[in-house]
Amino acid sequence: MAAIPGDVRIIAVIGAGPVGRGIAQLAARGGYRTILEDLLPNALRRAESEIRIQLDLAVDSGAVAADAANAAFSRLEFADRVEDAARPADLVIEAVPEELESKIEIFTLLDKICRPGAILASHVSSLSITEISRVTYRARNCLGMHFAEPVDHSWPRDR
C-alpha cells in the first residue's frame, strides 16, 4: 500500500537538470528532507549553486524570508548514486529526459532498492506511466507527475 501524504518525510529526486533541481528546491522549501541525485558530479555542483542562487533571488525579491531560504537549503542533500538517494526516501521523483528506455531502467532499479511502501513518481509529459510502472512489483505505488519549467515559478509566496 502506498504511503499517504502525511507519511512522506524524505523525497529523493533523480536527475539534477533544470527540472530536477527545481523539484528539489520546491520539496526543500516545503519542509521535506530532500536528496537530489545525479551521476555527473558537475551536474550536482551546478544544481547546488543554482538552487542557492534561486533562493537568494527569492530573498532579495521579498518572496521568501532569509531564514526560510536558509532552512530550505539546509534540508537539501546531494548524492552521486541512485541507491544513496532512493533507499531512505518515502517518495522518489525521477526527473530525467523524456526517454522511455531511461525511465524504465531507473524504475527497474528503484523497484529493487526502495523500501516497501515508497512511492515512485516519474516526471512525464508524453510517456505512459502505466508502461513505465509495469517493470516494477509496485505499480500501485507509481504515478506520473508533470512540472512545468521553470518549476519554481508555481511556488506561493512565503510572506
Side-chain angles (χ1 to χ4, degrees):
M1 177 175 203
I4 58 172
D7 291 341
V8 174
R9 291 180 180 83
I10 302 170
I11 297 175
V13 181
I14 308 303
V19 172
R21 68 179 173 252
I23 295 168
Q25 179 181 332
L26 287 178
R29 284 178 67 183
Y32 297 95
R33 176 181 166 206
T34 304
I35 308 167
L36 179 59
E37 182 278 338
D38 203 290
L39 298 174
L40 302 174
N42 287 340
L44 281 177
R45 282 192 296 277
R46 181 174 181 189
E48 184 174 7
S49 174
E50 289 287 327
I51 291 170
R52 182 76 258 179
I53 289 168
Q54 290 302 314
L55 289 169
D56 289 345
L57 288 171
V59 169
D60 292 346
S61 72
V64 177
D67 58 342
N70 290 332
F73 196 74
S74 73
R75 286 188 286 274
L76 283 167
E77 300 172 32
F78 301 89
D80 60 4
R81 292 175 9 117
V82 172
E83 295 86 347
D84 295 338
R87 272 199 183 101
D90 303 305
L91 169 62
V92 180
I93 303 171
E94 164 275 306
V96 302
E98 190 95 352
E99 298 168 355
L100 183 61
E101 295 78 19
S102 296
K103 291 179 182 287
I104 285 175
E105 183 178 333
I106 291 168
F107 264 60
T108 300
L109 178 60
L110 292 174
D111 191 50
K112 293 175 185 172
I113 62 176
C114 289
R115 61 172 191 71
I119 300 167
L120 307 182
S122 180
H123 171 70
V124 294
S125 57
S126 62
L127 298 176
S128 166
I129 188 61
T130 302
E131 187 172 352
I132 295 167
S133 67
R134 279 190 189 129
V135 301
T136 74
Y137 288 102
R138 58 175 91 209
R140 291 178 41 166
N141 287 23
C142 297
L143 58 100
M145 301 175 92
H146 182 75
F147 295 83
E149 194 176 345
V151 174
D152 60 348
H153 282 233
S154 62
W155 191 260
R157 296 175 67 89
D158 289 339
R159 299 170 32 152

